[in-house]
Amino acid sequence: MAKGDDAAKAFTEKQFDYLVIGGGTAGLVVAARLSERQDLNVGVLEAGHAIPDDTPAVSVPGRWGEGIGTGYDWQFETTSQKQLGGRKLAWPRGKALGGSAALNFMIWNRPSRDDLDAWERLGCKGWGWNDMLHYYKKSEMFVEPNDKAKLEHTIHYDREAHGTSGPVTVSFNKEHSVPHQYWHKTLENLGVATNKMHMSGSNTGAWTSMVAVNPQTATREYSATSYYKPVRDRKNLTVLTGAIVRDVVLEKSEGEWIAQGVRFEHDGSEYIAHASKEVVLSAGSIKSPQILELSGIGNPAILEKAGAQTKVVNKNVGENLQDHLMTATIYDIDPSVPTLDDLRVDPKLAAAADEEYKTRLTGPRTLLSCSMAYIPLSTLVPEAGISTLTSHLSTPTDLLSKAIASRLEPSANGGHVEYIFDVGNWNPFTPVQPGKKYATLLQILQYPFSRGSIHINPAAPHEAPIIDPRYYEDEGQIDREVQLHAAEFGQKILEAEPLKSFVKERVWPPKGVNNREWNEWIVGNTTTDWHPVATCAMGGKEGKEGGGGGVVDERLRVYGVKGLRVVDASIMPLQISAHLQATVYAIGEKGADVILEDAGA
């Protein structure tokens, strides 16, 4: 990684074959894989900086969330959301080498087979489950638990579905909080079976989740530690941090726009770096569409307001935004049960936990929430209720709208809502009482009908873009109604044994609220689960050079520009039922392969 006052100048003087914009989750995968070829010179521009290895807020699993709101976070926020009572929501995104995987809660899971096969049905050839499983496995090094842990923590997995030689070490937690022992039996008593093959193409049911944690060191695994750190001394790989990308340099030749390089700012000065083969945009679902628009690729009406020249017309840039929506119900529990909240209010307990972690790699600082269940819509909503939901749909006219609408069909069996249960108060709106202890049931809607946009701010194009998820608007009212049904099922979970014996009563929302009050509570408590996708989506069969749908083709090439690709979560055309981390690594792996294949390597 280049350092010093002359770092930017030295970077621009290098002869790069490929320039990668963004040293985040996908960007470092691409850079590491391309630079395996010694004859290729690869440069990476990252706006943030490297995180020191001894940064507990990032490296220590049980301190999840502490990196949010720091200098390693872009600290974005949405516009006022009309259907959320005018609230603006914080949208944390990683601004550091390693990206958002340095800030997330380390959950490592995969979507269902049908989630990815739906991409292929849209015309995105090569993106179905059978093709993508190879890349999921290629990214991971799975460390198997011992037999005692399997039995004690109800751990199941399909050994054949996992990679054993990839860069990212993944594992099952060695310790779990108190209620995990009740999770599987409780769900079984509600007719929800434990899924013993949850990483093999079917993600419905309950399971103990895997995490991106190295069990030998009990530290977070993310792309900076797994993909970049082991290869950072390669002579053909150069990373420049603190580099704010302004735009992609496009030049026209024989009527065709060609990506020639990247304009960026470093320490207050502006520079241009050149790429002889391709520019790869891996800045994520928020920054990637912004950079395309700053480069003159997008909707002319939006670009003109920002004073940007339109070079390539594509009204899909920044559109089709899909996000997971989350609420958190809170329950009163026995005050003797240890929770993470204890460490936040008691310095002595925190110091003891830190010492145990330092000396034995055990205890509260190793704990993550791994009690999970993904429930299909047919379990949550009665048949008559599904008919009511479908009445809110307009007639789907394109493949994407039809694919989204199909998620309301009675035969749909994907995990429509995710539940996670753990001790501690996860809802900042909860009216807490001194001396009380709490547990949280998260319910996270996976297949949103709310669709929003991310665009440059006409008043300040190079500052934070305008993020408008349009939660619960238009067809998004389906999401709000599903959340109501999901809350009812969530209450059933906490009223079933053995969890019923662990919790006392629901305290937020208060016990006894009626349907109208539940609705108001959902409006006032819905937040993001930090999983935005699709703002530079693959166009599939209806791509037509960006006119009929999408921003990139199935080879991730930006429509209308030669030598420019997007490789990150923004290319996903449809939201998936899973946390995004493992899928973004797989996208990075496949993207690197596609680039090398198209180069004839």
Side-chain angles (χ1 to χ4, degrees), residues 46-122:
E46 166 55 39
H49 294 279
I51 301 173
D53 292 340
D54 59 348
T55 306
V58 172
S59 63
V60 178
R63 299 186 69 161
W64 49 263
E66 292 186 19
I68 293 173
T70 69
Y72 302 128
D73 178 4
W74 281 98
Q75 302 184 43
F76 293 123
E77 69 174 10
T78 70
T79 59
S80 298
Q81 294 298 288
K82 183 168 60 175
Q83 296 300 325
L84 297 186
R87 290 188 294 126
K88 295 181 179 182
L89 302 186
W91 265 37
R93 290 285 94 189
K95 185 183 181 182
L97 209 58
S100 295
L103 303 182
N104 68 16
F105 294 2
M106 287 156 272
I107 295 297
W108 188 268
N109 67 349
R110 297 174 185 166
S112 70
R113 173 185 293 270
D114 191 66
D115 285 352
L116 301 185
D117 287 350
W119 297 2
E120 196 152 52
R121 289 194 294 272
L122 291 174

Side-chain angles (χ1 to χ4, degrees), residues 445-463:
L445 188 140
Q446 301 294 294
Y447 296 138
F449 284 79
S450 303
R451 291 165 73 181
S453 64
I454 295 176
H455 292 296
I456 54 176
N457 185 342
H462 292 283
E463 301 301 321

Side-chain angles (χ1 to χ4, degrees), residues 185-413:
K185 184 60 178 176
T186 300
L187 271 295
E188 286 173 11
N189 288 340
L190 289 172
V192 178
T194 294
N195 187 335
K196 297 181 179 181
M197 308 276 281
H198 52 91
M199 297 284 277
S200 303
S202 172
N203 73 340
T204 55
W207 72 79
T208 302
S209 180
M210 298 174 63
V211 290
V213 172
N214 185 322
Q216 278 72 47
T217 60
T219 55
R220 176 196 296 268
E221 287 275 297
Y222 63 111
S223 61
T225 60
S226 56
Y227 276 89
Y228 174 64
K229 189 175 179 180
V231 304
R232 60 186 171 189
D233 292 330
R234 285 178 181 165
K235 296 186 183 302
N236 63 331
L237 175 61
T238 307
V239 173
L240 180 67
T241 57
I244 307 295
V245 170
R246 312 298 284 182
D247 60 7
V248 178
V249 177
L250 304 180
E251 295 184 8
K252 207 164 193 178
S253 176
E254 299 180 354
E256 183 177 39
W257 286 105
I258 302 172
Q260 299 283 0
V262 179
R263 192 186 331 270
F264 65 94
E265 182 182 313
H266 191 271
D267 286 342
S269 298
E270 194 172 277
Y271 302 86
I272 294 178
H274 296 278
S276 63
K277 294 185 182 294
E278 291 189 0
V279 173
V280 182
L281 180 52
S282 297
S285 293
I286 297 175
K287 294 293 291 184
S288 283
Q290 180 189 26
I291 291 171
L292 287 181
E293 289 181 334
L294 289 170
S295 306
I297 304 166
N299 185 335
I302 292 171
L303 301 186
E304 287 169 11
K305 288 180 181 178
Q309 176 193 355
T310 300
K311 297 176 181 177
V312 177
V313 175
N314 189 325
K315 296 181 180 180
N316 303 302
V317 173
E319 296 293 322
N320 195 35
L321 172 63
Q322 301 162 48
D323 185 30
H324 289 157
L325 296 83
M326 178 172 66
T327 60
T329 51
I330 309 300
Y331 294 79
D332 190 8
I333 61 173
D334 190 296
S336 66
V337 175
T339 75
L340 182 60
D341 295 340
D342 299 337
L343 308 187
R344 291 170 174 160
V345 298
D346 190 328
K348 290 184 179 179
L349 286 176
D354 291 339
E355 182 64 20
E356 180 179 358
Y357 176 81
K358 180 180 178 181
T359 57
R360 302 203 298 271
L361 299 180
T362 60
R365 293 304 194 194
T366 68
L367 298 182
L368 291 167
S369 298
C370 300
S371 303
M372 305 182 72
Y374 282 73
I375 308 299
L377 193 66
S378 57
T379 301
L380 303 172
V381 184
E383 190 172 337
I386 291 180
S387 297
T388 301
L389 295 178
T390 57
S391 69
H392 297 305
L393 285 174
S394 55
T395 302
T397 57
D398 56 78
L399 286 176
L400 182 63
S401 296
K402 290 176 182 177
I404 292 174
S406 71
R407 288 170 164 173
L408 292 182
E409 293 176 358
S411 60
N413 195 41

